[in-house]
Amino acid sequence: MTTGNTKHDQELMKKINKELVLHLIREKGPISRAELARVSNMSSTSIGRIVSEFIELGFVKETEEKTSGVGRKAVLLDINPASVYVISLELDQNATKIGLVDFNGNINLSQKVNYDPRANHYESVLKLICNSVEEFLSGHNIDKSKIIGIGIAVPGIIDAQKGTVIFSPQLGWENVDIVKYFEEKLRLKTTIDNVIKSRALAENVHGSTKGSKRTALINFGTGVGSALIVEEEIYRGATNSAGEIGHTTVDPHGRLCECGRIGCLQTYITEEALLQEAKIYKNISNVNEIFVSADSGEKWATRLLDRVYTYMGIAVCNVICMYNPDTVILSGKLIDKRPKIIDIIAKKVDELIWDPFKNTYNVKGSNLGESAGILGVSTSVINKYIDIEM
Amino acid sequence: MTTGNTKHDQELMKKINKELVLHLIREKGPISRAELARVSNMSSTSIGRIVSEFIELGFVKETEEKTSGVGRKAVLLDINPASVYVISLELDQNATKIGLVDFNGNINLSQKVNYDPRANHYESVLKLICNSVEEFLSGHNIDKSKIIGIGIAVPGIIDAQKGTVIFSPQLGWENVDIVKYFEEKLRLKTTIDNVIKSRALAENVHGSTKGSKRTALINFGTGVGSALIVEEEIYRGATNSAGEIGHTTVDPHGRLCECGRIGCLQTYITEEALLQEAKIYKNISNVNEIFVSADSGEKWATRLLDRVYTYMGIAVCNVICMYNPDTVILSGKLIDKRPKIIDIIAKKVDELIWDPFKNTYNVKGSNLGESAGILGVSTSVINKYIDIEM
């Protein structure tokens, strides 16, 4: 219960009404003012006032008149995707993705910039990224005045409020004040968030779990992470670090993890761990060779992969036990390379899950794939913008 | 975003205002109408109307006039704890607790009834409990018209919406339609919930984590369970089963769990597991003897307990990784018997936790103890009642 007052309450009410109208146009557009009034049960005066405001802000546009049945022509309203844009970035181990995302969540342009954040000082890396964004803007003749902000999805522990990367083993960064750097350099409002949380949000708003009330996403990459989305909102925890399934302990007598602790779940799952073990038996140089060996019937590879799938299944089961989601999305490089893994893991989960959870969840792949990080963080930027503008 | 309409919105607004006023009286009472208007920033007319309604419903009472400073006397308002009551039950393995809880969350009367739910058919157990409630009511001359409902806290997987016990290994029940039975027999609106979720809610509303925004509670008992409270609301998950930490897998080659699966975390922690292992070395009959042996320096007992504390620490660390709470409450029979365990586990957690989580949490004991279950489920009953009455 938050404290409030009448004036504050009226403002809140207006905001709720505006958000409702925007939501309806988004979901049902093109839609007429009359239909909006009918569906929302608001007066035509209120609808007229709110819609005018949206048109002025550029969010909403009137489409060409269209014959509605036998009657007279009606002006219809729709979201104007080109009203405002977000520049979204996803910082990965070897490359930075840059995307131009419109108000409807479409990626209009995108580009990859290769870099090596672990081999260079973070300032020179940030400089490189900022220069790339400027080139992206000028190279594509993007009108900077239409950009409402920059969103950056970063792997690791992120303080989204302060705008800092607390700790990113993937980038080799600790306490990097990334938002401050971007805002000074590019003069655009900047938002950062954890990439797995961003991906999960994107899948819930635009992707394969639209309509789900409790989506968990598990990412198998250089680490293993998870995120929980409750009714289109990220569950963050006290310090934006909820979901660190990869560093839950499964065996106090197990392997040393890159985090310096013993027996973390991810020591059985990550590409690095897989590669390290495979090398005991065969001189291979990348994970793909394990899959190739397994495909050609080499027993060591099928055994190794079967164990990985089992631990992936355990990771999913443990997420289900803790979050009790209606849907679990599996994502990450390992999955992207071999989407059929999803069915293998889903079967493992069905075997391993505790009876009371049977039939409470679906296991799915992402349907946004590599775009999910960029889309998710742009959703956060757009939500923040709408929240301020209303 | 929920759809709504103006009429609906106005109703919602009225409800929010009423809840605000009730909240203010609860937090700041005794308080005058003038002060309420000032603090809430609502008009004195609105305050007058809402307060009259509360007085009529009996929630709020006018206290005797009191000299306010040098000025004239003012009538003050306060919650009327005796306006309505809840009969709360906690069904445990060997006993049922019955309590009479007032509108302010005070347990006015309580009683224990011993029973053996595993040795008897559930219907005869339910009959026994209902008879005990009737005796409790008549024995204490409780005015049944003041009872707004019955709340029942039950260990296991509970469908709180349908009012059924899906699965309770502690009681040996499966698919028991407990609410229907109580409502037919006692003619009082009945609510059930999982006991660990109820305890966690009680601690957040009345107990040791008042003011915490994200409380996790871990219960070490016949099983190991956890619950997450986000801003005084239980995080339930899709089927009210979130928090089943005890059945997360920590060792796929580990011990067989009572759930029929291999390597569940609780196989290293529960009293039953502890006792089973201890018996390998010494013929003891209860867990207390292990503590006594450890206290008198028997190495086997200190080793066994140290391993249990380590796994309890792991359980806490894993809950922190997943929920990122600001506070963790440790509860349950093992803790109740030996409260100094809390410090031992807290130290283990400090050693075991992943660096980014250091200093993000407090580990605490319950300060409601055995009453937490009864208090928590009564909070749910009162919240439901207020929600309907407003």
Side-chain angles (χ1 to χ4, degrees):
Chain A
M1 163 78 62
T2 52
T3 47
N5 56 55
T6 315
K7 206 180 156 191
H8 175 89
D9 290 344
Q10 283 168 355
E11 293 296 319
L12 181 70
M13 213 60 247
K14 274 188 197 165
K15 201 171 171 131
I16 290 173
N17 283 339
K18 281 192 205 174
E19 282 177 357
L20 172 64
V21 174
L22 191 64
H23 181 76
L24 287 172
I25 298 174
R26 216 185 255 284
E27 292 293 308
K28 298 178 190 287
I31 184 172
S32 68
R33 286 178 176 78
E35 182 68 4
L36 270 179
R38 198 189 63 77
V39 178
S40 69
N41 218 349
M42 290 168 69
S43 69
S44 49
T45 322
S46 299
I47 291 291
R49 183 180 43 76
I50 293 172
V51 165
S52 301
E53 225 176 292
F54 287 161
I55 290 173
E56 204 168 307
L57 283 164
F59 293 167
V60 169
K61 62 178 179 185
E62 293 184 324
T63 62
E64 283 176 13
E65 295 185 20
K66 198 180 130 186
T67 310
S68 60
V70 286
R72 61 190 177 83
K73 288 178 180 182
V75 178
L76 298 180
L77 302 162
D78 209 345
I79 293 293
N80 180 11
S83 56
V84 289
Y85 292 91
V86 178
I87 294 290
S88 270
L89 302 168
E90 183 180 329
L91 273 50
D92 209 343
Q93 248 180 334
N94 310 308
T96 290
K97 269 173 253 159
I98 308 177
L100 179 73
V101 184
D102 72 21
F103 192 63
N104 258 352
N106 303 303
I107 301 177
N108 291 7
L109 292 166
S110 71
Q111 190 172 315
K112 243 186 190 176
V113 179
N114 292 319
Y115 71 163
D116 190 350
R118 297 179 69 98
N120 296 284
H121 189 267
Y122 76 84
E123 279 197 21
S124 67
V125 175
L126 290 179
K127 199 174 162 190
L128 170 77
I129 301 170
C130 282
N131 288 342
S132 304
V133 171
E134 275 177 340
E135 281 165 26
F136 182 79
L137 286 166
S138 61
H140 294 290
N141 282 319
I142 297 166
D143 178 0
K144 209 172 163 181
S145 70
K146 281 198 160 187
I147 307 293
I148 55 171
I150 295 179
I152 311 175
V154 185
I157 304 277
I158 308 302
D159 188 330
Q161 278 191 306
K162 284 194 189 146
T164 55
V165 177
I166 305 287
F167 179 57
S168 172
Q170 292 87 344
L171 305 181
W173 288 359
E174 227 167 297
N175 296 317
V176 174
D177 205 345
I178 183 167
V179 162
K180 198 177 157 213
Y181 190 96
F182 267 76
E183 292 191 340
E184 275 174 13
K185 183 91 176 158
L186 295 174
R187 307 264 158 216
L188 282 166
K189 179 114 195 77
T190 303
T191 299
I192 61 167
D193 208 343
N194 169 276
V195 66
I196 296 171
K197 290 185 172 64
S198 297
R199 278 187 204 153
L201 180 64
E203 295 290 347
N204 196 203
V205 175
H206 298 289
S208 66
T209 65
K210 236 183 140 169
S212 148
K213 291 207 180 294
R214 289 166 202 85
T215 290
L217 179 141
I218 306 178
N219 193 75
F220 301 108
T222 43
V224 179
S226 74
L228 172 66
I229 308 292
V230 183
E231 294 181 12
E232 298 197 0
E233 271 195 46
I234 297 169
Y235 174 73
R236 298 187 174 279
T239 57
N240 201 32
S241 305
E244 287 291 352
I245 181 86
H247 295 284
T248 56
T249 303
V250 294
D251 183 1
H253 311 292
R255 297 166 58 118
L256 187 68
C257 180
E258 53 159 35
C259 76
R261 292 155 62 245
I262 300 278
C264 293
L265 178 57
Q266 71 177 35
T267 60
Y268 297 93
I269 299 177
T270 60
E271 286 200 21
E272 195 56 39
L274 205 58
L275 206 55
Q276 228 177 60
E277 285 232 65
K279 279 178 178 167
I280 295 170
Y281 184 79
K282 194 175 180 180
N283 186 25
I284 58 164
S285 57
N286 61 57
V287 171
N288 199 39
E289 291 177 45
I290 306 175
F291 287 110
V292 172
S293 298
D295 287 345
S296 61
E298 291 179 41
K299 278 287 178 200
W300 68 272
T302 49
R303 283 188 201 106
L304 185 59
L305 286 178
D306 187 63
R307 199 183 63 184
V308 171
Y309 299 145
T310 299
Y311 276 99
M312 285 175 156
I314 288 173
V316 176
C317 286
N318 290 359
V319 164
I320 291 172
C321 278
M322 293 306 285
Y323 290 160
N324 188 201
D326 50 47
T327 317
V328 180
I329 302 174
L330 306 182
S331 75
K333 278 173 199 157
L334 228 57
I335 307 279
D336 291 344
K337 275 179 206 152
R338 298 256 161 167
K340 69 172 184 177
I341 292 178
I342 292 168
D343 288 338
I344 300 172
I345 299 173
K347 249 180 226 159
K348 289 271 183 193
V349 175
D350 285 342
E351 281 165 31
L352 292 166
I353 195 76
W354 187 33
D355 281 354
F357 286 102
K358 279 208 195 307
N359 307 315
T360 64
Y361 58 85
N362 282 305
V363 175
K364 288 187 179 183
S366 150
N367 65 15
L368 301 172
E370 282 212 348
S371 313
I374 279 188
L375 267 182
V377 75
S378 72
T379 302
S380 296
V381 172
I382 290 169
N383 287 348
K384 264 191 188 178
Y385 178 72
I386 291 176
D387 198 46
I388 291 166
E389 288 300 316
M390 292 198 178
Chain B
M1 162 80 60
T2 52
T3 48
N5 56 56
T6 315
K7 205 178 157 193
H8 176 89
D9 291 343
Q10 283 168 356
E11 291 297 318
L12 181 70
M13 214 58 249
K14 273 189 196 165
K15 199 171 175 133
I16 290 173
N17 284 339
K18 282 191 203 174
E19 281 177 359
L20 172 65
V21 173
L22 191 65
H23 181 75
L24 287 172
I25 299 174
R26 215 184 257 283
E27 292 294 306
K28 297 180 191 286
I31 184 171
S32 68
R33 286 178 175 78
E35 183 67 4
L36 270 179
R38 199 189 61 77
V39 178
S40 68
N41 218 350
M42 289 167 68
S43 70
S44 49
T45 322
S46 298
I47 291 290
R49 184 179 43 76
I50 292 172
V51 165
S52 301
E53 225 175 293
F54 287 160
I55 291 174
E56 204 168 305
L57 282 165
F59 294 166
V60 169
K61 60 178 180 187
E62 294 185 324
T63 61
E64 282 175 11
E65 293 186 19
K66 198 180 129 186
T67 310
S68 61
V70 286
R72 61 191 178 80
K73 290 179 179 179
V75 178
L76 299 181
L77 302 162
D78 210 347
I79 292 294
N80 179 13
S83 56
V84 289
Y85 293 89
V86 178
I87 295 289
S88 271
L89 303 168
E90 183 181 330
L91 273 50
D92 209 344
Q93 247 180 335
N94 310 307
T96 290
K97 270 173 252 157
I98 307 177
L100 179 74
V101 184
D102 72 21
F103 192 62
N104 258 352
N106 304 303
I107 300 177
N108 291 8
L109 293 166
S110 70
Q111 189 172 315
K112 244 185 190 178
V113 180
N114 292 319
Y115 71 161
D116 191 351
R118 297 179 70 97
N120 296 285
H121 189 267
Y122 76 84
E123 279 196 22
S124 66
V125 176
L126 290 178
K127 198 175 164 188
L128 170 77
I129 301 169
C130 283
N131 288 341
S132 304
V133 170
E134 275 176 340
E135 282 165 25
F136 181 79
L137 286 166
S138 60
H140 294 290
N141 281 321
I142 297 166
D143 178 0
K144 210 172 162 182
S145 71
K146 280 197 160 188
I147 306 294
I148 54 171
I150 295 179
I152 311 175
V154 184
I157 305 277
I158 308 302
D159 187 330
Q161 279 192 304
K162 285 195 189 147
T164 54
V165 178
I166 304 286
F167 180 56
S168 172
Q170 293 87 344
L171 304 181
W173 288 358
E174 225 167 299
N175 296 317
V176 175
D177 205 346
I178 183 167
V179 163
K180 196 176 159 214
Y181 190 95
F182 268 74
E183 292 192 339
E184 275 175 13
K185 182 93 176 158
L186 295 174
R187 308 263 157 215
L188 282 166
K189 178 116 195 76
T190 304
T191 299
I192 61 167
D193 208 343
N194 169 276
V195 66
I196 296 172
K197 290 185 172 65
S198 298
R199 279 188 203 151
L201 180 64
E203 295 290 347
N204 195 205
V205 175
H206 298 290
S208 65
T209 63
K210 234 183 141 169
S212 147
K213 290 206 181 294
R214 288 166 203 85
T215 291
L217 180 141
I218 305 177
N219 192 76
F220 301 108
T222 41
V224 179
S226 74
L228 171 67
I229 307 292
V230 183
E231 295 182 12
E232 298 198 1
E233 271 195 46
I234 297 168
Y235 174 72
R236 298 188 175 279
T239 57
N240 201 32
S241 303
E244 287 290 352
I245 181 85
H247 294 286
T248 56
T249 303
V250 294
D251 183 0
H253 311 291
R255 297 166 58 118
L256 187 68
C257 180
E258 53 159 36
C259 75
R261 292 155 63 243
I262 300 279
C264 293
L265 178 58
Q266 71 176 38
T267 59
Y268 297 93
I269 299 178
T270 60
E271 287 200 21
E272 195 54 39
L274 206 56
L275 205 57
Q276 227 178 61
E277 284 232 63
K279 278 179 179 167
I280 294 169
Y281 183 79
K282 196 175 178 180
N283 186 24
I284 59 166
S285 59
N286 62 58
V287 171
N288 199 41
E289 291 178 46
I290 306 176
F291 288 109
V292 172
S293 298
D295 287 345
S296 61
E298 292 180 41
K299 277 290 178 200
W300 69 271
T302 50
R303 284 188 201 106
L304 186 59
L305 286 178
D306 187 64
R307 198 184 63 183
V308 171
Y309 299 144
T310 299
Y311 276 99
M312 284 174 156
I314 288 173
V316 176
C317 287
N318 290 0
V319 164
I320 291 173
C321 277
M322 294 305 286
Y323 290 159
N324 188 201
D326 51 47
T327 317
V328 180
I329 302 174
L330 306 182
S331 76
K333 278 172 200 160
L334 228 57
I335 307 278
D336 291 344
K337 275 179 206 154
R338 299 258 160 166
K340 67 170 186 177
I341 292 179
I342 293 168
D343 288 338
I344 299 172
I345 299 173
K347 249 180 227 160
K348 289 272 184 192
V349 175
D350 284 343
E351 283 164 30
L352 293 166
I353 195 78
W354 187 33
D355 281 354
F357 287 102
K358 279 210 195 305
N359 307 314
T360 64
Y361 59 85
N362 284 304
V363 175
K364 289 187 179 183
S366 149
N367 66 13
L368 300 172
E370 283 212 347
S371 312
I374 279 186
L375 267 182
V377 75
S378 73
T379 302
S380 296
V381 173
I382 290 169
N383 287 349
K384 263 192 190 179
Y385 178 70
I386 291 175
D387 197 46
I388 292 166
E389 287 301 314
M390 293 197 176

